Structures are given as C-alpha cells and as structure tokens.
Amino acid sequence: MFHFTVETKKPSPVDEAVYDFIALGGGPAGLNGALYAKRKGLRTAVLAYDLGGQLKNTSSVDNYLGFDNIDAGQLIDRFVSHLGSLDVPLITSVRVAAIEKQGDLFHLRLDSGRVIKTKTLLAALGGSPRKLDVPGEERLGGKGVSYCATCDAPFFKDKHVVVAGGGNSAVESAMDLAKWASHVTIIHRSKFRADQTLLDKLDKIANIDVRLETQILEILGSDHVEAVMIKDKRTETVSSFPADGIFIEIGTIPNTALFIELAHLNESKEIIVDGFQQTSLEGLYAAGDITAQPYRQIIIAAAEGAKAALSASNYLNKKGL
Amino acid sequence: MPKLLPAEVSEQIRSLLESMIDPVSIIYFTDHKCSSCLETGQLLEDIAGLNNKISLVVKDFAKDIDAVKQYDIRRIPGFVILDHEQKDRGVRFSGIPAGHEINSFLSALLEMSGVDSELNADILARIKKIAKPIDIKVFVTLSCPHCPGAVQTAHRLAMQNPFIRSEMIEAQTFQEMSRVYKVSGVPKIVINDKYELLGDQPPESFLDLIDKIA
C-alpha cells in the first residue's frame, strides 16, 4: 500500500540559456538519452509531463539486464536517481505545445507559454494505448473498458474480466488482474507473441484461461460492460462471451503529433530514423516506441536513447555548435 | 505507529519540499480508528516533520463539529490544506495520498505555499472568470500512475478561484461512494455530481465542461 514513487522533482529553473540536448519524454529512451548526453558534457535537460513513460503502466519488469525481477516503480526510481547523481535537470509536469526549428535551434513552446531552446532534440514521447476500434469501446470507456490494469484492477474484485491482446503487456496485465478478479480470460486474434518465460508463469495461474485465434467484434452492455461479442476464427462461429470488464493491451500508437510537420513519418505515423537515430531533420533524433522499429522493449528504448545522444554529440562537434 | 516513509523516500521528499515558499497548514480530520485513519495520520505527521513550513492540526471528526462544518468535511480520513493566511482554497484529500498519489499531495503543498503552477495566462483567465459553485471530485486508486495529474489539475483550479472546490477521493477507502458514482476506471472526474471526465485531462477539458454547466 505504501509504495512511494516520488516523481515530482524540485522545479528546475527554465532559463533563457540554450541547451545542447533536450530529451523530450520521461521514459527509458529519454532518460537514457539524457544520461549519455550529460556524460558527453552536453548541457542537457529532460522535458516531460511525468517520468517513467510506459513503465508506469506495468507492475514489474523481468527482462531488463541486471534485474531478474524488479518492481517497475523501483526501476523508474533507479533511472531517475541515476540522472540525479549527474545533476541533469528534470523539467516535469509540463506539456509542449509546439516545436519549431529556427536556424540551428529548436524552439520548444510549453503550454505555459515559456520557450526553451536547444541545439539538438531527442523525440522520445513513446506511445499511447492502441484501441481495439470496435463498437462499444468508446461508449463504455471507464464503464468496464480499461487500458490500465494496474490502475483499475481493484474495481474488478471477484469479477470476470477479459484481457484483449497476446503480447507481454497483455499477459502481465492478466496476471495482475488475476490477483483481484475471480476469473480472467485472455482473448487474442492470433497466436501469442509474449515471452515463453511469461507464458510458463501464466500456465501456473488457475484462474486465467486463454482463447487464441479469436477476434473481439464488439463490446456489449448498457451502462457497463456485460459481454464481448467474439468470433472463433477457426470455426467462424460468433458468440457472446459474458464479462464484467475488458482490459485492452494490444500495443501502442506513437505520440508523434508534434513531429508531423518536422520529420518524415511512416504510414503508421512512427518517426523514421536511420542507424544513428537521426530523423529526416538535422539535429532531431528519435528513440523508443515513437520510432519505426519493430520491438517495443524497455532495453531497446534505452539503448536507442543512448545512440541518439552519442549521435547528437558527434553532430554538435562536427558543426562546431 | 512507526514512521511510514522509508528513510530514502523521506530524504527525496525533504529535498523536494525545500522549494516551498510560504507556510501552509494541514487540518486533518479523523476518529483515530476509521479505515486507514491511523496510516493517513502517520503519513501526514511524517511529511509535516520534513519541513517546518508545514503545520499539522488534528481534529476529531465526531467532536470538533465546528471545524467539520467550517471546512465542510464530508468523510474521513480527510484533510484540507490552508495557505499562509490560513485561507481555505478548496483543496481536499479524502483517503490516504500514498502510492502514486503522494505526488499530487506534494504538488498541492508546494503550490499552496506559492510555487508557480505554470498555468498559462489564457487558462488562468478562464479559471478566474468562473462565478458559479463548482465541486470537483477526482476518484483515484493508489496504484494509478495517471491519477496524480488529474488531481493536480483539479486542485490547481480550486486554488485559483474561491467558487471551486476540489477533492481527491481514494476509491478503495470509499468503496460505497465509488459504487454510487459508478467508478470502474480511474482517474474519474465528477463535476457537480453530474458531469464526468475520464483520464488525466488537461485544464482545457475541465474548463470546457465547466463552461457547459449552467
């Protein structure tokens, strides 16, 4: 009950000086980018609404090298504390309204109206939960349809819930929910993509069952979720499957709205980067789930953040900025 | 009761609270035995002990009737944060602000002490214009990382306008109330017991909804 994750940091003075490197985003990509940039001697800051990124939506992590099983909040604290040891300013509780490049400088206009300038910028805003895009989902949002198992699991004590998805996040959510719910059913339209180690754990939990090759067509209910309409893809049969809630864990959509005019995006609206995390705009780098790369993993996001910072450092040296 | 805050967390919070400007007061209402009253009282004591700009006053919900009425306290454990002039600026917490919610509590202490909330001028002007009673309830769970942002926004609105009252409600402590308000996802924001928002919404969304209320 008393798991404290102190995310609000002492407000940093946002002065008029120009930064060398700003990490926009407080997840593993942004934080590791800032760490590497600072170690290279760049004038660095992290700019984020909050710290942790999508790590905040998970309860524990067991695939980050060096930690065989760590509480996600503790991992965030370790990241933040590591940056704190290097005195990297963490400018949090801010939203960026617009980004412009003027000459060699990026101008980041915050919601508050303040402008922060930087020579290089790391886009590391991650992704937001992807929706199923089926009838009933919007209408029953907050009425049994949820995208955050850690947030909403307590409301489903002794109830039957469905988890939509087949990746690590879906399986982890199902395992979190199984501590509260009487029964959890994972429904996924194809085969599992989750790690075998997680599936082995899943097998041992008595109140979780799995329906693969099954598509969710609709979420049903008057003022709260009562059932999901499903189609068994092997038999083509459609049926109503009773449930008190549904947790949707089918991946993310990239938070690229600020970058549409700045950099080239692919058709999934992910930022296209090269092997140096460089985008189509000089001085703008991108890392983590916002980029066009296939694997959404904490360690990959962190590594891309590091690559971006090293590339930014090289760019500044070459340009003599 | 032993301290709730581990030493390392205490140090982080102590450092954070160093940026407080003016003194603030916490008026805490309890009956010393209600669900999570002991823990809430201890947490407030721990926090108040970290900075001498925070004073803590404990009131008995059953006996201190005048204070209960003065601050319109509807449930316990609950507390109000007052500014340096002992002015009630509409900020309420019902249930323990532990877990992720420690963040909205710390923000409220800092901003009540005068730390700038960085709301932009347009938003501030919209908040100041509100001239009708607005009651904002923000339902949270302690394991919800998106909830402190919603509570922080609601409390910011309250601090800027005497017509607005904002209350964090910990849904697990107040289960019956959560049931009545049909809370099954958080953060759930209920305005004047009728209008609803879901999620960590920006101030504009709160204001758009408030503008629609006659």
Side-chain angles (χ1 to χ4, degrees):
Chain A
M1 185 175 183
F2 300 106
H3 167 68
F4 291 92
T5 54
V6 182
E7 292 128 8
T8 313
K9 296 292 159 190
K10 194 186 291 186
S12 303
V14 181
D15 55 38
E16 294 307 308
V18 172
Y19 285 94
D20 294 320
F21 181 91
I22 293 259
L24 183 55
L31 296 178
N32 206 36
L35 178 78
Y36 269 71
K38 179 70 181 182
R39 286 172 57 87
K40 279 286 170 194
L42 305 186
R43 184 177 160 79
T44 300
V46 174
L47 202 59
Y49 182 63
D50 51 19
L51 298 174
Q54 290 171 73
L55 254 178
K56 292 176 73 172
N57 293 338
T58 194
S59 53
S60 64
V61 174
D62 54 11
N63 59 1
Y64 196 87
L65 187 65
F67 301 96
D68 55 359
N69 191 309
I70 183 167
D71 176 272
Q74 284 179 14
L75 188 59
I76 296 169
D77 283 349
R78 289 207 180 213
F79 289 168
V80 172
S81 146
H82 197 166
L83 284 179
S85 70
L86 292 174
D87 287 330
V88 176
L90 302 168
I91 305 168
T92 57
S93 297
V94 293
R95 287 185 163 104
V96 174
I99 302 170
E100 274 181 37
K101 190 168 187 199
Q102 297 180 11
D104 285 327
L105 287 184
F106 291 91
H107 291 229
L108 282 70
R109 187 162 53 77
L110 307 187
D111 259 0
S112 61
R114 295 169 99 161
V115 175
I116 297 180
K117 295 173 191 168
T118 182
K119 295 171 190 171
T120 64
L121 178 64
L122 171 60
L125 290 173
S128 301
R130 184 181 294 279
K131 299 195 169 181
L132 270 175
D133 209 14
V134 296
E137 182 178 16
E138 191 81 28
R139 181 174 57 83
L140 295 167
K143 296 170 181 163
V145 175
S146 172
Y147 303 87
C148 181
T150 54
C151 303
D152 299 338
F155 299 113
F156 295 88
K157 190 168 188 292
D158 301 328
K159 295 191 172 173
H160 180 195
V161 297
V162 162
V163 173
N168 286 347
S169 299
V171 173
E172 283 165 357
S173 291
M175 294 196 295
D176 285 343
L177 286 161
K179 294 168 194 160
W180 295 87
S182 58
H183 198 86
V184 181
T185 303
I186 298 177
I187 298 180
H188 184 49
R189 62 184 178 175
S190 54
K191 293 186 170 52
F192 268 131
R193 284 178 292 109
D195 296 345
Q196 189 57 47
T197 51
L198 271 179
L199 297 178
D200 292 344
K201 282 186 191 170
L202 186 72
D203 272 347
K204 293 178 187 143
I205 302 175
N207 62 335
I208 302 180
D209 71 335
V210 176
R211 286 179 174 234
L212 299 178
E213 302 292 343
T214 302
Q215 193 174 352
I216 294 171
L217 303 174
E218 186 174 357
I219 302 169
L220 306 168
S222 50
D223 68 347
H224 65 92
V225 171
E226 292 165 23
V228 289
M229 192 64 82
I230 54 173
K231 180 168 104 177
D232 185 322
K233 289 166 77 178
R234 287 163 295 201
T235 60
E236 294 286 309
T237 51
V238 172
S239 59
S240 171
F241 185 81
D244 301 304
I246 174 167
F247 287 76
I248 297 166
E249 295 283 355
I250 54 168
T252 60
I253 46 171
N255 293 324
T256 43
L258 284 167
F259 302 99
I260 290 169
E261 303 291 326
L262 287 175
H264 293 161
L265 311 184
N266 67 10
E267 58 188 21
S268 303
K269 298 213 164 62
E270 298 159 332
I271 299 179
I272 297 168
V273 289
D274 65 12
F276 297 89
Q277 306 304 131
Q278 168 72 55
T279 69
S280 57
L281 178 65
E282 195 176 57
L284 176 65
Y285 301 84
D289 289 4
I290 200 170
T291 63
Q293 59 89 5
Y295 305 114
R296 308 307 201 205
Q297 297 296 320
I298 303 161
I299 202 156
I300 291 173
E304 288 186 351
K307 280 168 70 182
L310 296 174
S311 304
S313 175
N314 284 341
Y315 161 78
L316 291 169
N317 284 339
K318 274 185 198 162
K319 291 272 282 188
L321 291 171
Chain B
M1 190 172 179
K3 286 191 175 194
L4 286 179
L5 293 172
E8 196 184 331
V9 175
S10 282
E11 271 320 299
Q12 280 178 282
I13 295 175
R14 187 196 305 278
S15 149
L16 177 77
L17 293 174
E18 276 169 12
S19 48
M20 284 182 72
I21 299 168
D22 291 323
V24 301
S25 305
I26 300 171
I27 316 291
Y28 171 51
F29 292 83
T30 176
D31 65 1
H32 308 286
K33 61 183 184 212
C34 73
S35 164
S36 79
C37 274
L38 282 178
E39 293 89 343
T40 307
Q42 186 60 51
L43 174 66
L44 296 181
E45 208 174 285
D46 287 2
I47 298 274
L50 295 174
N51 191 303
N52 59 18
K53 286 184 178 153
I54 305 170
S55 61
L56 173 64
V57 178
V58 181
K59 299 278 185 188
D60 190 305
F61 188 62
K63 294 177 188 159
D64 294 315
I65 305 297
D66 290 347
V68 170
K69 277 188 187 159
Q70 181 186 352
Y71 296 112
D72 187 19
I73 298 300
R74 301 166 191 174
R75 52 205 132 248
I76 54 169
F79 62 92
V80 183
I81 306 177
L82 309 180
D83 70 9
H84 66 290
E85 293 173 334
Q86 296 289 300
K87 195 170 149 200
D88 174 4
R89 293 174 59 192
V91 172
R92 302 284 186 282
F93 285 84
S94 297
I96 187 167
H100 286 284
E101 220 45 54
I102 188 84
N103 300 294
S104 66
F105 176 34
L106 296 174
S107 293
L109 288 173
L110 288 170
E111 291 178 20
M112 192 64 83
S113 85
V115 172
D116 187 8
S117 63
E118 297 212 4
L119 288 168
N120 77 34
D122 293 346
I123 295 289
L124 268 175
R126 285 184 68 186
I127 299 171
K128 302 267 188 209
K129 266 191 193 165
I130 296 167
K132 56 200 169 193
I134 296 294
D135 173 278
I136 309 175
K137 296 181 175 73
V138 184
F139 289 88
V140 305
T141 59
L142 301 183
S143 55
C144 166
H146 312 289
C147 292
V151 173
Q152 196 176 31
T153 304
H155 281 160
R156 281 176 176 169
L157 264 62
M159 279 188 238
Q160 296 297 334
N161 185 320
F163 281 101
I164 306 174
R165 168 195 161 110
S166 159
E167 179 181 8
M168 178 217 83
I169 299 171
E170 202 286 295
Q172 288 300 100
T173 304
F174 299 100
Q175 288 187 21
E176 177 55 23
M177 196 180 169
S178 303
R179 197 188 57 74
V180 169
Y181 284 86
K182 295 183 177 169
V183 181
S184 65
V186 288
K188 177 166 179 170
I189 300 146
V190 182
I191 302 182
N192 288 7
D193 287 338
K194 189 172 175 188
Y195 303 90
E196 295 181 359
L197 285 170
L198 191 67
D200 180 10
Q201 300 287 341
E204 290 89 334
S205 301
F206 283 73
L207 291 167
D208 290 348
L209 192 58
I210 289 170
D211 285 349
K212 285 182 196 158
I213 299 172

